[in-house]
Amino acid sequence: MNCPNGHGIMPLKKIEKKILFRDVAVSIASRLHVCPVCKLEAGTVEQTAELQKAIADAYRKKVGLLTGDDIRTLRKKAHSTQDELAGRMGIGIASIKRWEGSQIQTKSMDQALRRALVALRPASDLNGNRDLSIPRIKLVLTHFESCLGFRLIEGNDRMLFAAKYLWYADMAACRDLGASMTGATYAALPYGPQLNNYKDLLGLIKKSDTKKAEPLAAEEQHIIAAIARAFPSGKKVYNAAHREAIWKRTAVGAIIPYSAASELTEI
Ligand SMILES: [Zn+2]
């Protein structure tokens, strides 16, 4: 590309800029042709598109929206096509294509996207190949209580330690036996893995009848006993869960997939 001011060839340069976009300061890196004499900048059609995408993604990252790459990566993880995602949201495929490119979605569409991307995940990733059973959650916790010798359900409204023991039992069972124990879904929260929507579940767990649960298999009881031996106190299980890379790398509030169970390091 030649300088329109007659200074000859404009070499391609990597540029880093801080710009104001929609009143938000963003830093972007891109490639542009720059004239060494008059500093004029120009880009090919492809480079201009690349720059636009870099700005849109830097902005989305800064304000907490999914970037184009985030949307594509999460969609691929759900083994879903653009068409399926659009169908799930009841919108046209063109919107998905634009958002995976450089068009910025609204906050409400961002939330709808996140919900649809979770819903598209294979059920096995969310429940570990078992339908959610509230009585079984109580049964597993009761079994933990008898192994540990202290209470996990009563007087612990935040389920802080109970949720960590449950998480280990479900993940380890999915990894070692091919199915979780309770079918519960877990979210990555700042204080560790927690039952997804635990506020809604807590009362139901306390009230549920363990006699309605499928009894624990011997292999399941062995896993619970091994976890109780490895983490004999609430503090130990809490600290162990916080060392797990699969919790650390999951975004706050996002689901920890059962497919990551093989990467547990503490049990
Ligand atoms: Zn020039």
Side-chain angles (χ1 to χ4, degrees):
M1 188 180 282
N2 285 316
C3 174
N5 295 326
H7 298 127
I9 286 178
M10 298 168 69
L12 192 61
K13 276 183 70 174
K14 231 184 139 170
I15 55 149
E16 282 198 18
K17 281 190 175 189
K18 270 207 157 95
I19 62 155
L20 208 57
F21 181 79
R22 294 192 184 179
D23 292 331
V24 173
V26 293
S27 309
I28 46 154
S30 191
R31 294 171 305 149
L32 281 179
H33 291 278
V34 182
C35 172
V37 181
C38 68
K39 308 296 178 204
L40 181 128
E41 296 174 348
T44 62
V45 176
E46 289 76 23
Q47 286 152 11
T48 308
E50 186 184 300
L51 181 67
Q52 245 183 340
K53 189 166 185 323
I55 294 170
D57 278 347
Y59 172 82
R60 286 190 278 192
K61 205 165 215 164
K62 194 89 182 262
V63 300
L65 297 171
L66 294 169
T67 67
D69 289 342
D70 288 339
I71 299 168
R72 190 177 312 104
T73 305
L74 288 168
R75 179 173 60 73
K76 295 248 163 92
K77 267 190 189 163
H79 307 291
S80 185
T81 63
Q82 291 179 328
D83 210 22
E84 282 167 338
L85 179 56
R88 179 96 211 172
M89 295 176 70
I91 58 170
I93 187 174
S95 296
I96 305 295
K97 284 187 197 291
R98 286 196 291 262
W99 293 332
E100 288 188 3
S102 58
Q103 179 153 312
I104 296 162
Q105 67 278 22
T106 62
K107 185 82 199 164
S108 65
M109 276 299 162
D110 192 74
Q111 282 160 354
L113 261 172
R114 285 172 197 261
R115 280 193 300 272
L117 286 163
V118 167
L120 284 167
R121 289 286 272 275
S124 58
D125 236 9
L126 300 178
N127 63 21
N129 299 320
R130 182 188 287 274
D131 290 335
L132 174 66
S133 164
I134 304 274
R136 224 165 192 249
I137 291 181
K138 189 170 187 182
L139 182 63
V140 170
L141 287 176
T142 307
H143 201 81
F144 265 119
E145 285 180 336
S146 66
C147 292
L148 290 163
F150 57 87
R151 311 302 303 266
L152 285 170
I153 307 169
E154 295 302 327
N156 189 352
D157 279 355
R158 291 180 61 207
M159 292 274 292
L160 192 64
F161 301 138
K164 312 288 179 291
Y165 283 115
L166 264 184
W167 181 65
Y168 270 119
D170 272 332
M171 283 279 163
C174 188
R175 177 192 63 192
D176 301 344
L177 311 175
S180 67
M181 292 193 199
T182 73
T185 302
Y186 296 87
L189 293 184
Y191 40 89
Q194 178 56 284
L195 281 172
N196 198 34
N197 303 325
Y198 77 98
K199 267 191 186 150
D200 301 334
L201 295 179
L202 186 59
L204 296 172
I205 294 167
K206 284 185 175 174
K207 271 189 293 184
S208 71
D209 180 0
T210 54
K211 289 190 203 78
K212 287 185 180 149
E214 185 193 328
L216 292 170
E219 295 86 353
E220 291 176 317
Q221 295 186 27
H222 290 155
I223 287 174
I224 292 171
I227 293 167
R229 270 197 309 276
F231 315 124
S233 69
K235 193 172 161 46
K236 287 226 161 86
V237 77
Y238 182 93
N239 289 339
H242 282 73
R243 286 192 295 269
E244 297 289 355
I246 62 176
W247 166 73
K248 286 189 204 166
R249 71 160 186 256
T250 306
V252 172
I255 303 303
I256 306 172
Y258 276 96
S259 54
S262 60
E263 296 170 62
L264 286 176
T265 53
E266 303 288 324
I267 195 79

